[in-house]
Amino acid sequence: MKRTVPVESASAFIDAKINELGDWRGKTLAKVRAIIHKADPEIVEEWKWMGTPVFSHGGIVCTGETYKNAVKMTFAKGAALKDPSGLFNSSLDGNVRRAIDIHEGDKVDEAALKVLIRAAVALNLKGKSKPKPKPKPRRATGKRAD
């Protein structure tokens, strides 16, 4: 008989990650997380790829990775987003993703980040509201293949 192993929620894992870091990176990740939820209260937190906080709504909006010298917010469809405030400063050569590297002492532009989060959610939801068209049946042509 299999035993059920209790699984902590993604939010609990993210909380633990923030506490484990215990430095500017934890504080920055906590701040970014709060901004994400202010921008869109329907954001869902996930824990993927062996320890990466992921924020989703209609698909992945962004991740919140932590490195020795940066907290990196990678937007899954960042290349398709307008960034008038110039927040994207990393992964600029990619065809799909864009990222924001936040270093110790950097100020986070909360208003601009909220705009970017909302735009990413809107992009995710854009194609989800329309049902996919069904293929049209082909007409018989009357010609026979012999």
Side-chain angles (χ1 to χ4, degrees):
M1 176 174 21
K2 289 185 178 181
R3 290 177 27 188
T4 306
V5 178
V7 179
E8 292 182 58
S9 70
S11 295
F13 278 120
I14 295 169
D15 288 341
K17 177 78 169 182
I18 290 167
N19 290 331
E20 174 188 309
L21 289 165
D23 59 9
W24 69 270
R25 296 170 301 160
K27 290 176 184 171
T28 302
L29 181 58
K31 179 177 181 129
V32 164
R33 180 190 198 189
I35 293 169
I36 291 168
H37 285 290
K38 284 181 192 173
D40 182 6
E42 293 182 35
I43 287 281
V44 174
E45 293 184 335
E46 300 175 276
W47 187 255
K48 294 186 177 191
W49 309 300
M50 297 174 53
T52 303
V54 177
F55 303 94
S56 301
H57 184 167
I60 295 175
V61 173
C62 66
T63 62
E65 305 143 70
T66 53
Y67 297 95
K68 184 177 180 180
N69 296 318
V71 172
K72 180 183 285 285
M73 294 181 68
T74 303
F75 284 74
K77 298 178 184 176
L81 299 174
K82 291 182 178 155
D83 181 21
S85 297
L87 293 179
F88 290 133
N89 61 9
S90 183
S91 305
L92 301 176
D93 296 333
N95 292 331
V96 180
R97 293 187 301 270
R98 293 284 184 274
I100 302 167
D101 283 355
I102 305 165
H103 299 94
E104 186 172 12
D106 287 354
K107 300 255 187 238
V108 178
D109 185 340
E110 185 170 339
L113 185 54
K114 283 180 184 177
V115 169
L116 207 52
I117 298 286
R118 291 176 183 136
V121 170
L123 182 61
N124 282 351
L125 298 177
K126 184 178 179 181
K128 301 217 182 237
S129 61
K130 299 175 189 172
K132 291 183 180 178
K134 293 182 180 177
K136 293 181 181 178
R138 293 184 170 198
R139 288 188 182 171
T141 61
K143 294 182 182 177
R144 294 168 109 190
D146 291 328

